Amino acid sequence: MIVLSHKKECCGCTACLSVCPRQCIRMETDEEGFLYPVTDPEHCTDCGLCERVCPCLHPGVPQEPIQCYASIHRKEEIRLESSSGGLFTALAEETIRNGGVVFGARFDREFRVMHDYTETLEGLSAFRGSKYVQSDMRNSFRQAEQFLKEGREVLFSGVSCQIAGLKAFLRRDYQHLITLDILCHGVASPAVWASFLHPYKTAQEPERLTQVTFRDKQNGWNQYDFCLRYSEKEIRFNRKTNPYMAGYFANLYLRPSCHACPRRGFSAGSDLTLGDCWGIEKRPPQSYCADDKGVSLVMAHTPKGVERMRQIHASVCYTPIDYRPMESYNPAIRHSPVPHPEREQFFIRWRQQEAFGQIVASLTRPTLTKRLETMCTPLLKALGIKGFTKYLRK
Ligand SMILES: Cc1cc2nc3c(=O)[nH]c(=O)nc-3n(C[C@H](O)[C@H](O)[C@H](O)COP(=O)(O)OP(=O)(O)OC[C@H]3O[C@@H](n4cnc5c(N)ncnc54)[C@H](O)[C@@H]3O)c2cc1C
């Protein structure tokens, strides 16, 4: 029986619940808004399966990709709707063309994030774009297994702990399963997300909210512009004015397990990993980022992953690149984020229903040292003075 001694020990992937032969595990929301498994002791026979499939109890071994590429989808409109270079769509289109099924994270009508599947090309648009919130896996592991048993090709996308959970749940290799993990800084609390969004969906906004985009590219790929679209208007935030993303990047409300991620370093066992190809402007093929519409970093870990990249060559431009230099631009590959020192304070004030923007602004305000550093660094650099920052920090 799964007994959690610390919240860090569960990533919420639902492998335990999905594998339970007596179906006596359910997910319950905790006081931070994350889902955790709860076992019904009356029906549990202590068969141990739930523990055997848990990706947190059995962390993976970090490795390096066998092949790495910089890549972009050939269709500009797809890249604009995607967070990086649109490679998810290219890979998913191939599966749909093969008569297969694609799983990924989408918004429901209330803009909650959940895993779902599609069997059509049109259906892929809901999965495009990063949602910086933990997705509710619901019944997706069992649904994927059902499709695999029917002989259908399945492309399953998710963050690394979700892929590790799926693979452990399946307990066997399927030749027609392609697993795709999305590089992940960490996943945020669904309840915090809902509380941030609430005022934009209700009485204050008489129009219906129709679209939420975390990475709008109107002003460029790495701007993290956040956009809420209504029938007649839009509300736009940039990285600095968006309290939700400010709190996300400051690690105020990530899932506790993300701070000790059991599946960093490509240890999920996936065929492919996708991320942002940060640093591409400094090395060939720089032409991919000339239009600032996003470039994907694609890492293949299995011959199946390499083969799938070859199969989609008509829809994408791709160039093999050295993996090592790219790793240094993307801390999420190797390192778990450190929790914000005031994380607990955030949740206390959030539960007291203090205004969202106010809590985040007060907890993420830069210290005097940091502000001095930001103000003086360009001038000191120009004057060739070194060591001032170190002096300040002392
Ligand atoms: C929470 C989160 C953190 C991320 N952190 C980093 C990072 O630190 N560094 C980096 O390089 N890249 C990170 N990414 C990945 C990056 O933002 C792009 O999603 C990725 O490069 C794929 O882009 P794309 O253009 O190929 O396709 P897109 O269309 O942008 O990708 C869509 C894919 O992402 C999946 N997805 C979207 N939201 C979620 C979610 N909440 N949970 C699970 N899967 C989801 C969809 O199912 C689909 O498979 C993160 C993504 C998420 C969701």
Side-chain angles (χ1 to χ4, degrees):
M1 187 193 306
I2 292 258
V3 182
L4 298 175
S5 58
H6 191 286
K7 294 275 166 76
K8 268 200 296 207
E9 292 168 2
C10 171
C11 61
C13 72
T14 70
C16 55
L17 169 154
S18 309
V19 83
C20 177
R22 314 248 326 165
Q23 299 189 17
C24 62
I25 305 179
R26 64 182 189 282
M27 297 300 270
E28 272 186 12
T29 308
D30 78 342
E31 67 289 350
E32 293 184 345
F34 294 104
L35 289 167
Y36 287 90
V38 177
T39 310
D40 171 1
E42 299 260 301
H43 292 96
C44 174
T45 55
D46 230 344
C47 68
L49 264 180
C50 52
E51 289 159 1
R52 239 185 286 160
V53 299
C54 174
C56 287
L57 288 178
H58 310 284
V61 182
Q63 47 180 299
E64 287 206 358
I66 58 173
Q67 187 61 268
C68 180
Y69 317 83
S71 186
I72 54 175
H73 201 289
R74 288 183 195 272
K75 288 192 182 150
E76 185 182 303
E77 64 274 21
I78 300 284
R79 276 170 80 207
L80 285 173
E81 285 177 19
S82 311
S83 295
S84 307
L87 260 285
F88 158 72
T89 300
L91 293 159
E93 284 167 340
E94 182 68 10
T95 296
I96 302 282
R97 280 194 291 265
N98 293 341
V101 187
V102 173
F103 283 78
R106 56 171 289 158
F107 289 119
D108 70 1
R109 284 175 65 83
E110 294 302 317
F111 292 96
R112 290 176 293 226
V113 181
M114 57 179 52
H115 256 67
D116 198 357
Y117 69 86
T118 181
E119 298 168 79
T120 67
L121 291 175
E122 303 74 55
L124 291 178
S125 69
F127 300 122
R128 273 198 275 285
S130 297
K131 293 102 186 156
Y132 295 99
V133 185
Q134 180 156 40
S135 101
D136 180 346
M137 300 304 285
R138 306 192 302 163
N139 200 21
S140 50
F141 286 0
R142 281 175 180 257
Q143 287 169 326
E145 184 184 43
Q146 189 55 39
F147 286 122
L148 289 165
K149 284 184 171 163
E150 288 164 13
R152 305 271 300 272
E153 178 177 315
V154 169
L155 181 141
F156 200 102
S157 68
V159 292
S160 58
C161 55
Q162 293 167 339
I163 299 300
L166 170 74
K167 297 206 67 145
F169 158 74
L170 290 172
R171 284 175 293 161
R172 57 164 277 207
D173 247 357
Y174 288 88
Q175 198 38 46
H176 46 296
L177 168 67
I178 304 213
T179 47
L180 176 65
D181 72 319
I182 305 294
L183 268 187
C184 177
H185 168 77
V187 289
S189 157
V192 169
W193 162 243
S195 72
F196 163 75
L197 198 63
H198 184 69
Y200 300 102
K201 289 196 323 189
T202 52
Q204 289 176 33
E205 292 297 341
E207 284 179 41
R208 217 175 82 73
L209 179 63
T210 52
Q211 197 188 14
V212 174
T213 312
F214 279 89
R215 304 264 305 263
D216 188 272
K217 292 181 179 168
Q218 185 177 296
N219 296 314
W221 163 37
N222 64 2
Q223 296 303 311
Y224 285 82
D225 280 3
F226 177 86
C227 191
L228 301 172
R229 292 205 173 83
Y230 298 82
S231 32
E232 300 281 324
K233 66 166 183 199
E234 60 178 40
I235 301 179
R236 215 167 241 286
F237 299 84
N238 65 32
R239 198 181 185 134
K240 286 195 182 135
T241 57
N242 180 355
Y244 180 80
M245 286 311 275
Y248 173 79
F249 284 123
N251 307 331
L252 272 176
Y253 32 77
L254 299 182
R255 191 177 176 99
S257 60
C258 298
H259 299 300
C261 174
R263 295 298 168 152
R264 280 206 194 265
F266 314 121
S267 57
S270 58
D271 297 301
L272 291 154
T273 303
L274 295 181
D276 285 289
C277 198
W278 302 132
I280 186 67
E281 67 285 357
K282 301 200 177 77
R283 51 191 311 105
Q286 282 114 331
S287 60
Y288 287 0
C289 64
D291 60 4
D292 204 14
K293 295 200 168 85
V295 184
S296 292
L297 179 67
V298 186
M299 287 142 296
H301 310 294
T302 60
K304 210 197 280 185
V306 175
E307 175 60 11
R308 185 41 61 109
M309 279 304 286
R310 200 190 55 71
Q311 288 163 344
I312 62 167
H313 75 275
S315 341
V316 300
C317 305
Y318 71 97
T319 306
I321 51 171
D322 279 352
Y323 161 72
R324 269 293 153 125
M326 303 322 282
E327 189 187 287
S328 60
Y329 295 106
N330 215 323
I333 295 179
R334 296 279 164 206
H335 306 290
S336 294
V338 177
H340 190 284
E342 304 283 0
R343 186 181 182 283
E344 264 185 43
Q345 263 304 309
F346 170 84
F347 278 105
I348 291 170
R349 291 170 63 180
W350 174 72
R351 277 192 291 272
Q352 288 165 349
Q353 301 192 353
E354 197 179 319
F356 190 88
Q358 190 175 303
I359 317 176
V360 174
S362 68
L363 297 180
T364 58
R365 190 169 295 135
T367 58
L368 181 64
T369 317
K370 190 82 203 148
R371 274 183 280 159
L372 270 175
E373 224 179 283
T374 316
M375 267 163 36
C376 302
T377 307
L379 178 69
L380 294 170
K381 245 190 187 165
L383 295 172
I385 300 172
K386 287 183 185 159
F388 181 69
T389 311
K390 265 193 205 148
Y391 169 76
L392 261 184
R393 282 184 189 155
K394 267 194 225 159

